[in-house]
Amino acid sequence: MQIIDGKKISAQIKEEIAAEVKEIVASGGRRPNLVGVLVGHDGGSESYMASKTKACEQCGFDSSLIRFDDDVTQEQLIAKIQELNNDKGVDGFIVQLPLPKHIDEEAVIEAIDYRKDVDGFHPVNVGRMMIGLPCFKPATPSGIVMLLERYGIDTRGKHCVVLGRSNIVGKPIANMLMQKAQPGNCTVTVCHSATPNIKEMCLQADILIAALGSPEFVKEDMVKEGAVVIDVGTTRVEDSTRERGWRLCGDVDFEHVAPKCSYITPVPGGVGPMTIVSLMHNTLLAATGRAY
Ligand code: GUN
């Protein structure tokens, strides 16, 4: 069993990106510029944003954060998006999700110029990805694909079972791994809350991707011997032994599942750090005009 070290791979990729930025700057170009838009003060969103800002520094990017209070109107938020769309100094920007209930998330995403949508959430990017055209791909599934690639895990002809059908992870990773590509060329099954026989499905997986947000959902009797297990779960659970009172918990019962796997990602330190690196990668593509 090998633990997939997302922390190590993400550090390597950040160094590669930083080296390219150094070359760009040395030849008279400007640094890639990523802007984050954050509404409210949700703990998870605050820490995502802090990690993104730190990663920008490590990669040599310029970055800034635009904050709004919870009571911002949809119109005010969209006005800011239009400003960012038209700002030639901004290569890409993200609006941190989730947004407060009174704001229509889809309307906000659609207001973003898809050429600056480094989250890969705009319907144009989603559609282009679906039919295999160049586009911004969403960060978490891209991070998973990078891990499979860097660990030389053969995906061709493998049965990949995805747990969860979110727009951010489940749907796009299923799509990316079914593409005629390497990594890719998988036979993909997507399971969700209405799937009656999830355990039987999981047992057929050569590659199991758990992205349902249900702590330790995947138990050892659901995993085939030698499977590759990718854990996307990042639920905060109470933990009085930690100073901050919580810890991150994955969707996989790591302790009991790991011995059966050929490869497995830990939580934290697996997919999480890769998500941020994918965003950096997309921002570099935006800045260098390589996305399309
Ligand atoms: N919320 C959780 N993950 C993400 C992400 O990758 N991008 C944005 N914008 N919001 C998120």
Side-chain angles (χ1 to χ4, degrees), residues 45-246:
S45 294
E46 290 276 0
S47 66
Y48 272 130
M49 276 296 180
S51 307
K52 285 167 186 170
T53 303
K54 187 171 163 209
C56 282
E57 281 167 21
Q58 291 168 330
C59 291
F61 293 0
D62 287 330
S63 75
S64 54
L65 179 59
I66 298 169
R67 285 178 175 275
F68 288 100
D69 284 330
D70 272 324
D71 60 357
V72 66
T73 66
Q74 188 167 313
E75 291 68 31
Q76 286 167 325
L77 193 54
I78 288 180
K80 177 53 77 178
I81 288 171
Q82 281 159 354
E83 210 179 286
L84 293 168
N85 284 342
N86 295 325
D87 185 340
K88 290 197 166 50
V90 174
D91 298 301
F93 63 98
I94 59 169
V95 180
Q96 187 65 29
L97 304 177
L99 291 169
K101 296 229 170 345
H102 67 279
I103 296 177
D104 176 356
E105 251 172 38
E106 279 313 312
V108 168
I109 291 169
E110 285 204 44
I112 299 171
D113 183 331
Y114 72 90
R115 292 160 298 191
K116 293 192 178 189
D117 168 40
V118 285
D119 259 332
F121 293 166
H122 191 284
V124 169
N125 283 316
V126 177
R128 290 179 66 97
M129 181 179 74
M130 182 86 184
I131 56 176
L133 292 176
C135 62
F136 290 119
K137 298 188 180 99
T140 301
S142 288
I144 295 170
V145 170
M146 284 181 199
L147 285 177
L148 295 171
E149 199 167 26
R150 299 257 169 164
Y151 274 83
I153 295 169
D154 188 18
T155 56
R156 185 184 170 82
K158 298 288 163 39
H159 185 197
C160 174
V161 174
V162 178
L163 303 182
R165 56 178 156 183
S166 70
N167 290 342
I168 294 182
V169 186
K171 282 179 198 153
I173 191 63
N175 186 265
M176 285 161 79
L177 287 178
M178 79 166 73
Q179 297 284 334
K180 201 165 190 170
Q182 176 60 36
N185 267 318
C186 288
T187 303
V188 180
T189 302
V190 180
C191 300
H192 44 72
S193 50
T195 304
N197 53 341
I198 288 194
K199 183 179 167 185
E200 286 70 30
M201 290 294 180
C202 290
L203 278 168
Q204 292 173 35
D206 302 309
I207 301 169
L208 180 61
I209 300 179
L212 3 62
S214 176
E216 300 188 344
F217 179 90
V218 176
K219 304 289 184 200
E220 66 182 303
D221 64 352
M222 298 165 74
V223 176
K224 183 165 81 174
E225 201 67 47
V228 176
V229 173
I230 307 289
D231 189 349
V232 189
T234 53
T235 308
R236 287 182 177 192
V237 296
E238 252 186 60
D239 186 343
S240 55
T241 69
R242 308 283 173 105
E243 202 178 312
R244 62 189 178 191
W246 56 269

